[in-house]
């Protein structure tokens, strides 16, 4: 049997999948996780329950859409590949069908800067892509458009996707997006949320460049 490459990264992908289900932002085998390698990326296989997932179920792919091994990659491999090709800063990607984000995505509701933490998405709003069928190039194209100058977006009638500098940060962003969507839903039920100004958000985004980082992170 051929020895698997990137064993530690494969294990980290599986751990991230288990965390996202344990945190309640994903269910069953929906959603998918990937991490960049020096040869392409590793992506969860299609239809394999995360609780039963082994390193061999994390599929190695290149940036031309080719995969190796005996398991098919997630049907959403195009989105992952295209983010890695278009956004060199993306090192890990989390795609989930979290409840509140999906609800707003089904309403095609962009989330404005009602809370300063919307800045975790990289801009002043959480955009919604146009609708396209899952697993298609059309979905990947409209996703990339919605993610211009952003770290994440909602996918119309589908869910959410985001990236980060590592798996832990990508998962954290996904959790923050879900929380923001729930808060925006609740605030909208109570009234019309007050949206922060562009000037206020410009200050927030400037500070977010060092938000949550320690000395070692800033040195990089």
């Amino acid at each position: 049997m051929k020895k698997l490459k990137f064993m530690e990264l494969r294990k980290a992908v599986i751990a991230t999948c288990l965390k996202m289900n344990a945190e309640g932002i994903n269910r069953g085998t929906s959603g998918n996780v990937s991490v960049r390698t020096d040869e392409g990326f590793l992506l969860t296989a299609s239809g394999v329950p995360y609780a039963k997932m082994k390193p061999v179920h994390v599929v190695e792919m290149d940036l031309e859409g080719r995969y190796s091994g005996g398991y098919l990659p997630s049907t959403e491999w195009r989105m992952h590949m295209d983010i890695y090709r278009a956004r060199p800063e993306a090192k890990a990607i989390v795609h989930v069908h979290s409840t509140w984000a999906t609800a707003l995505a089904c309403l095609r509701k962009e989330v404005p800067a009602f809370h300063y933490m919307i800045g975790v998405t990289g801009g002043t709003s959480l955009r919604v892509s146009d609708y396209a069928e899952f697993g298609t190039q059309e979905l990947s194209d409209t996703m990339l458009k919605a993610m211009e100058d952003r770290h994440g977006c909602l996918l119309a009638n589908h869910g959410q996707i985001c990236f980060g500098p590592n798996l832990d940060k990508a998962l954290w962003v996904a959790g923050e997006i879900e929380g923001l969507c729930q808060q925006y839903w609740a605030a909208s039920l109570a009234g019309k949320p007050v949206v922060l100004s562009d000037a206020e958000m410009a200050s927030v985004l400037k500070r977010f460049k060092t938000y949550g980082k320690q000395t070692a992170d800033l040195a990089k």
Side-chain angles (χ1 to χ4, degrees):
M1 181 180 292
K2 185 178 179 180
K3 185 178 180 180
L4 292 174
K5 294 187 292 184
F6 309 112
M7 184 59 74
E8 292 308 309
L9 279 179
R10 290 171 187 268
K11 292 178 180 178
V13 167
I14 295 170
T16 302
C17 293
L18 294 173
K19 287 178 184 177
M20 72 185 188
N21 277 24
E23 291 176 8
I25 61 172
N26 197 64
R27 293 189 181 92
T29 60
S30 65
N32 31 76
V33 172
S34 71
V35 64
R36 191 191 288 270
T37 70
D38 55 6
E39 299 176 13
F41 61 102
L42 300 172
L43 174 65
T44 47
S46 179
V48 179
Y50 299 126
K52 297 182 179 181
M53 187 168 281
K54 305 298 181 185
V56 71
H57 298 132
V58 180
V59 183
E60 185 179 353
M61 297 194 70
D62 65 20
L63 295 179
E64 300 300 324
R66 296 179 292 245
Y67 72 93
S68 60
Y71 293 89
L72 293 174
S74 165
T75 54
E76 303 292 11
W77 62 266
R78 288 178 180 82
M79 287 200 295
H80 292 257
M81 181 184 72
D82 287 347
I83 288 174
Y84 290 129
R85 291 174 66 170
R87 305 293 293 272
E89 72 271 32
K91 305 299 182 184
I93 298 168
V94 171
H95 164 50
V96 292
H97 300 169
S98 54
T99 300
W100 297 99
T102 301
L104 293 183
C106 291
L107 294 171
R108 313 280 178 94
K109 289 184 71 70
E110 178 173 308
V111 183
F114 78 104
H115 191 291
Y116 73 87
M117 281 298 286
I118 207 73
V120 301
T121 67
T124 59
S125 66
L126 175 61
R127 300 190 187 115
V128 187
S129 74
D130 291 334
Y131 174 74
E133 189 172 329
F134 74 94
T136 62
Q137 187 60 52
E138 290 75 15
L139 175 59
S140 188
D141 291 343
T142 190
M143 170 208 66
L144 284 179
K145 183 177 179 181
M147 288 185 75
E148 288 179 0
D149 304 315
R150 298 287 192 274
H151 303 149
C153 72
L154 303 181
L155 304 168
N157 302 85
H158 189 151
Q160 60 146 305
I161 190 167
C162 62
F163 67 79
N166 52 56
L167 286 164
D168 286 341
K169 193 61 178 289
L171 181 62
W172 175 78
V173 174
E176 288 296 316
I177 287 174
E178 175 67 354
L180 286 162
C181 288
Q182 183 177 10
Q183 291 162 3
Y184 183 62
W185 184 291
S188 296
L189 288 178
K192 185 177 180 179
V194 176
V195 176
L196 298 175
S197 70
D198 289 344
E200 288 168 328
M201 281 304 298
S203 177
V204 167
L205 291 172
K206 183 178 180 180
R207 294 182 65 191
F208 264 32
K209 291 179 180 179
T210 58
Y211 180 82
K213 294 181 179 179
Q214 294 296 322
T215 306
D217 299 315
L218 296 173
K220 296 177 182 179

